[in-house]
Amino acid sequence: MVTKRLLILLPIFLSCVLGFPKKVRIAGLFDQDKAIQRMFESSINTVNVERNENKELSNVFFESESTVIETDLFEVSTKVCELLKTGIVGIFGPQEKVTAEYVQSMCDTMEVPHISVRQDPGEPLQPRGLSLNLYPHVSALSRIYDQLVTEFKWKSFAILYENTDSLIRMHPLLKRCDSQGDSAFMFHLGEGPNYRQAIQDIKRSEIENIIIDCSYDILSEVLKQAQQVGILSEKHKVIVTSLDLQTLDLQPYQYSGVNFTGLRLIDPEDPIVQQTLDKHKNEWGLDDPSELQVEHALMYDAVQLFARAFKQLKDATKGNIKKLPCDGSDRWEHGLSFSNFMRSTETRGLTGLVKFDRDGVRSNIQLDVVRLTENGLIKIGVWNSTTGKNIEWISETNTKKSDIELSLQNQTFTVLIALTDPYGMEKESSTTLSGNERYEGFGIDIIDRISQILGFNYTLQVESSTGAKNNRTGKWSGMLGKIINDEADLAITDLTITSQREEAVDFTNPFMNLGISILYRKPTKTPPSLFSFLSPFSSDVWSYLIGVYIIVSLLLFVIGRLCPAEWNNPYPCVEEAEELENQFTFKNAFWFAIGAIMQQGSEIAPIGISTRMMASCWWFFCLIMVSSYTANLAAFLTVETVVSPFDNVEELAKKKNIKYGAKLNGATFNFFKNFANSKDSDYSTYKEMYNYMIANEKDVMPETNDLGLAKVKTEEYAFLMESSSIEYTIERECNMTQIGGLLDEKGYGIAIKKYSPYRHHLNTALLKLSESGIITELKKKWWQEKRGGGKCRENGGTSSAEELGLNNVGGVFLVLTVGVALSCVYTIFELLLDVGRTSIRENVSFKEELMNELKFIMKCSSSKPTRRRNGTSSKSEDNSTRGCTPPYGFIPTVITTSPTDDK
Ligand code: GLU
């Protein structure tokens, strides 16, 4: 019995000591509005995701318990009891008035916080119990309606209302009738869906100032019928009280001339709104912040506020969560504190600053006053429920869009396109298409995006030639001619901005940058060469290698002679040799060195320290060179080397067997033409090329890029083309390539009539497209994805092998040089030491001995007589074995065994 009690008390004790569990549950009760439920869950998810990084949040995981309820109160109470029984920390919703009030009273009884986000005109100024409503209080809303009527100086106005709740909202306005002598006329909308009767009454009464106060559900229909009846005309001034006005499609009323004023709680330009929407765009299915409804946004903010308040509760108390059965009298002891924390917490959300005053009513509400213009709703004023009584009006100059922008909106432009891939192309379709639908392409996509930004309409018209200036008449043909003659408004294709064209028309900023290059067939494979074994090293390296071999061999010969240790008795058994011999003869030195290069070695083995030093350096050098050669040879054997007949435009100009040209009258051809009259000798190649192209105009100047490409494919012809078009071609034609770099830098722009007032707006729209990465995205789509793009990138990257130059193997040469130098120094040291010793031994002067030695070395004799002092053998004198020491200093020891030893 005692253990059983302990087991029951233990979790309670633990929760008191350890505080709230890691996971808490919050419940949401929803009517049929799926979007508000989505907001609730989405906000909980956000809190859970950010809980570890955001210091305002506790690390508790919120588990959402969303339930869809009916209006049946019995069912509602059963659901709420079930939820309370499982232990929850708060209940959100529902929206429906009766059920919401019922849930609220249950929560009050159990002391569980209840959060609602609904407009409740019957709500007392001091909310009861633990409930909290994020919707602006009716008293605040009534004040702004009253304020608007005052600011608009309406003396007489009609109120078109839906139900008795409206009367509460309109109360301060109705009071004006007694205090200020204003006349307010009330018109009840009726049951609907036909509200025309009440609207017609207003029309008949000839009241021009109208306040429409109805729920969001019927607002759209009421406005539609109001327009049909004719109370949304130029002489009428209308205030719509709904905070969700901005979410409606108001385009049908934009041009009616009605003075239409509304209010909004959500500012679509607020960075918090934009960032939050960006995060949840797909989840909420909204494209624009202005589509966000107030109650939905409030639900999101409510959860955020709840989570922040919960952190404060958790920090302040080691509370627990209680399971509350409806049939008991238990209450959640932390409910009241939690509710108080919510009232004292502040956060910035989708609906601005979420803050409550001492009465638990939302304070510091900021409402935007908006006006419907031809550009849609624009903000004309701001009102704050706490700081100011008056509306802060935004000056008209700031709100009014320029006349140009307004006129752009209603325009239909004729846009010229050329059927040049991929800027403009005919759509491939099995059905017959008409109008703009017939074309697609990079240029068309850009125009379409710009039209969406600026709001104009457009009609595409095909004009195949970009246009050239007739030097005689001075008139322009093609696209540019049509723009000059007002036959078209815009032209978009691969239209290069040039100074000559800029004199005739205006261009927007470039939407693409490029330069002239050469389109040619891919270079062919090199035929195998007899001497391909030489390819691993550059000719420089080969010549250095030969040079180094000769130098090292000669040095070995010289050092071998200078090094005393290299002079040896050729007959080791003859103790007193007459002559000493040196193994590093001229021939042997060369043989020794070549043996090392060939990795074969030789019989010759250096004995002296200096000769060994030099040999080691040489072997090291050979090791690295041979390894590098072998490795690079393997690469050369596996890689196909290709030969291009020319590598740049200068080489192309010199090739007599390859024709070349550019598009007729195109910017590329004009580039060469501009150099024709230039006196600058630096550009003689370009002049020469221009003369060649002019002389062979018929043969080498195709009218379109496609004809140029066909010529490259079939003839010995190189096409001078713009890099962007080359890029497009080589994505699809795998045996084509770009040869050489860019000859110039330029861009494509949209052509527009000279001094057009729209140029600035087009530039701004283009900048927006490029800043948002849309142009890059479109380029990728049309170059690499659509119409066979990416075909030639399947084979992967090309591998190549390059001969090793001096910069690759220079270090080994350096090591060899240093080693050889050291061994030379050491040889001199050894020689001087030996001469010194001999001069002492032979009792001659050092100089004399040195001269003798040098003279002997100069003779290049292969044998050296041994030196004796006073006719006695050197051995008997100093017990030296030098004269008869065999190579490596090995002296065989002869052991004679006497017969007596055996015994
Ligand atoms: N983009 C060129 C032009 O605007 C046409 C192509 C070319 O000349 O390479 O004329």
Side-chain angles (χ1 to χ4, degrees), residues 466 494-496 501 663 665-669 705 720-722 748:
T466 46
D494 56 336
L495 190 59
T496 313
R501 289 171 178 173
K663 184 178 162 184
N665 289 331
T668 305
F669 172 68
N705 282 348
L720 292 152
M721 205 182 191
E722 283 164 338
Y748 292 153

Side-chain angles (χ1 to χ4, degrees), residues 197-475:
Q197 184 58 48
I199 300 169
Q200 274 162 357
D201 289 347
I202 294 181
K203 194 177 179 192
R204 270 194 293 272
S205 71
E206 293 194 351
I207 302 170
E208 287 170 3
N209 306 324
I210 306 157
I211 296 169
I212 301 177
D213 184 73
C214 63
S215 65
Y216 177 72
D217 302 339
I218 63 163
L219 180 59
S220 170
E221 192 54 40
V222 170
L223 290 178
K224 196 168 110 194
Q225 294 181 14
Q227 192 180 36
Q228 287 166 354
V229 172
I231 62 162
L232 297 186
S233 69
E234 271 171 8
K235 64 174 189 176
H236 291 102
K237 296 186 182 80
V238 177
I239 296 173
V240 176
T241 58
S242 169
L243 298 182
D244 281 319
L245 178 71
Q246 62 168 339
T247 64
L248 296 181
D249 176 16
L250 298 173
Q251 211 180 5
Y253 320 109
Q254 261 172 227
Y255 309 106
S256 62
V258 63
N259 187 333
F260 205 103
T261 309
L263 295 166
R264 71 181 181 200
L265 180 61
I266 305 164
D267 179 1
E269 271 142 39
D270 182 342
I272 295 184
V273 177
Q274 291 181 343
Q275 282 160 18
T276 316
L277 190 82
D278 274 352
K279 238 194 282 174
H280 302 285
K281 220 174 197 163
N282 299 333
E283 216 179 313
W284 298 350
L286 302 178
D287 292 328
D288 195 277
S290 60
E291 293 168 20
L292 196 57
Q293 283 183 32
V294 169
E295 288 185 355
H296 301 172
L298 285 171
M299 180 55 89
Y300 188 90
D301 287 352
V303 175
Q304 297 292 325
L305 177 83
F306 183 89
R308 281 159 179 77
F310 188 79
K311 155 130 175 111
Q312 296 189 20
L313 174 74
K314 194 170 173 270
D315 290 349
T317 136
K318 286 207 184 313
N320 64 342
I321 291 160
K322 215 170 197 174
K323 295 180 177 171
L324 303 163
C326 281
D327 48 8
S329 56
D330 259 3
R331 286 152 184 258
W332 187 36
E333 60 277 19
H334 302 294
L336 192 61
S337 326
F338 188 13
S339 179
N340 287 334
F341 275 124
M342 270 195 277
R343 285 162 201 230
S344 59
T345 305
E346 273 181 44
T347 178
R348 277 214 160 263
L350 295 171
T351 55
L353 181 66
V354 183
K355 187 178 174 185
F356 294 86
D357 60 15
R358 268 183 296 144
D359 299 331
V361 168
R362 216 172 139 175
S363 64
N364 285 77
I365 306 160
Q366 183 162 306
L367 292 177
D368 288 348
V369 182
V370 288
R371 164 81 39 90
L372 186 67
T373 68
E374 291 191 355
N375 298 315
L377 280 178
I378 56 162
K379 181 162 149 182
I380 56 164
V382 184
W383 179 80
N384 189 297
S385 66
T386 310
T387 54
K389 260 182 132 201
N390 299 332
I391 298 165
E392 267 176 46
W393 297 106
I394 297 166
S395 75
E396 279 219 1
T397 43
N398 292 344
T399 57
K400 237 188 183 177
K401 285 202 177 180
S402 69
D403 292 346
I404 296 162
E405 245 172 286
L406 291 181
S407 64
L408 246 171
Q409 302 241 331
N410 305 322
Q411 291 267 358
T412 299
F413 290 136
T414 302
V415 180
L416 296 174
I417 54 162
L419 294 180
T420 308
D421 293 0
Y423 309 95
M425 297 172 285
E426 267 172 358
K427 242 187 214 165
E428 291 159 351
S429 164
S430 51
T431 54
T432 324
L433 301 171
S434 59
N436 292 351
E437 281 299 298
R438 286 170 294 168
Y439 310 107
E440 63 175 8
F442 177 67
I444 294 161
D445 276 0
I446 289 185
I447 278 292
D448 194 57
R449 300 292 177 119
I450 295 178
S451 79
Q452 282 170 23
I453 296 173
L454 299 178
F456 63 81
N457 301 314
Y458 62 94
T459 313
L460 297 175
Q461 199 184 92
V462 176
E463 169 57 59
S464 51
S465 124
T466 46
K469 189 177 175 184
N470 185 321
N471 284 338
R472 225 166 12 89
T473 59
K475 293 223 162 108

Side-chain angles (χ1 to χ4, degrees), residues 577-872:
E578 290 294 317
E579 282 180 337
L580 299 178
E581 274 185 9
N582 194 317
Q583 60 178 340
F584 282 108
T585 61
F586 195 73
K587 274 194 292 181
N588 278 358
F590 274 83
W591 182 240
F592 175 82
I594 199 86
I597 291 185
M598 298 300 168
Q599 304 278 284
Q600 298 305 319
S602 62
E603 291 270 299
I604 302 143
I607 302 163
I609 291 176
S610 47
T611 42
R612 281 183 181 177
M613 250 163 89
M614 186 173 290
S616 318
C617 295
W618 177 241
W619 286 340
F620 171 76
F621 173 80
C622 292
L623 175 77
I624 304 295
M625 291 306 283
V626 170
S627 316
S628 310
Y629 176 85
T630 317
N632 211 25
L633 183 66
F636 267 93
L637 293 179
T638 49
V639 165
E640 280 176 1
T641 37
V642 285
V643 271
S644 171
F646 58 93
D647 285 326
N648 49 44
V649 77
E650 282 78 19
E651 285 178 26
L652 172 66
K654 283 184 197 126
K655 286 269 165 193
K656 294 288 163 250
N657 57 338
I658 301 176
K659 294 187 270 182
Y660 56 85
K663 184 178 162 184
L664 186 68
N665 289 331
T668 305
F669 172 68
N670 282 331
F671 167 82
F672 290 96
K673 192 176 172 182
N674 290 340
F675 290 106
N677 303 322
S678 151
K679 292 202 167 59
D680 201 331
S681 58
D682 283 357
Y683 299 112
S684 58
T685 312
Y686 296 161
K687 278 186 217 169
E688 192 188 310
M689 289 175 84
Y690 170 74
N691 292 336
Y692 168 83
M693 285 191 257
I694 279 291
N696 302 282
E697 190 181 314
K698 289 248 143 42
D699 188 22
V700 299
M701 303 284 287
E703 274 179 25
T704 62
N705 282 348
D706 283 347
L707 291 175
L709 171 66
K711 265 179 105 57
V712 179
K713 278 188 194 168
T714 52
E715 296 173 33
E716 269 305 320
Y717 177 78
F719 189 38
L720 292 152
M721 205 182 191
E722 283 164 338
S723 56
S724 50
S725 303
I726 295 183
E727 240 176 87
Y728 179 80
T729 308
I730 61 181
E731 281 280 341
R732 287 153 185 83
E733 303 285 343
C734 304
N735 54 350
M736 296 287 148
T737 191
Q738 172 180 333
I739 295 195
L742 303 185
L743 306 190
D744 63 349
E745 299 256 349
K746 51 199 176 190
Y748 292 153
I750 302 173
I752 190 167
K753 201 170 161 64
K754 196 105 190 119
Y755 310 118
S756 164
Y758 304 135
R759 185 177 160 198
H760 171 72
H761 297 90
L762 290 170
N763 276 339
T764 316
L766 265 177
L767 273 176
K768 277 187 192 159
L769 289 183
S770 106
E771 279 164 6
S772 57
I774 291 175
I775 294 197
T776 318
E777 226 172 77
L778 289 178
K779 182 162 184 225
K780 195 167 163 232
K781 168 179 155 192
W782 288 107
W783 264 250
Q784 297 174 6
E785 289 161 13
K786 291 263 193 177
R787 306 236 184 176
K791 184 174 145 198
C792 305
R793 273 177 291 127
E794 277 149 23
N795 305 334
T798 52
S799 50
S800 64
E802 271 185 31
E803 57 187 20
L804 297 177
L806 254 189
N807 44 355
N808 301 106
V809 286
V812 204
F813 281 88
L814 187 71
V815 172
L816 178 70
T817 314
V818 173
V820 166
L822 282 178
S823 73
C824 289
V825 172
Y826 192 77
T827 312
I828 293 164
F829 168 73
E830 263 189 329
L831 178 78
L832 294 179
L833 195 71
D834 190 66
V835 167
R837 276 204 201 121
T838 317
S839 62
I840 293 166
R841 196 180 65 218
E842 298 295 329
N843 210 8
V844 285
S845 75
F846 178 82
K847 193 175 165 194
E848 194 185 331
E849 183 61 24
L850 182 65
M851 291 314 287
N852 283 342
E853 196 69 28
L854 290 178
K855 267 184 209 156
F856 170 73
I857 289 163
M858 300 296 274
K859 270 194 233 156
C860 291
S861 164
S862 62
S863 56
K864 187 180 190 181
T866 46
R867 300 286 302 270
R868 305 231 172 140
R869 198 202 296 169
N870 305 330
T872 53

Side-chain angles (χ1 to χ4, degrees), residues 69-78 99 102:
I69 54 162
E70 301 294 326
T71 46
D72 177 5
L73 288 184
F74 177 70
E75 199 195 318
V76 172
S77 82
T78 320
T99 45
Y102 189 74

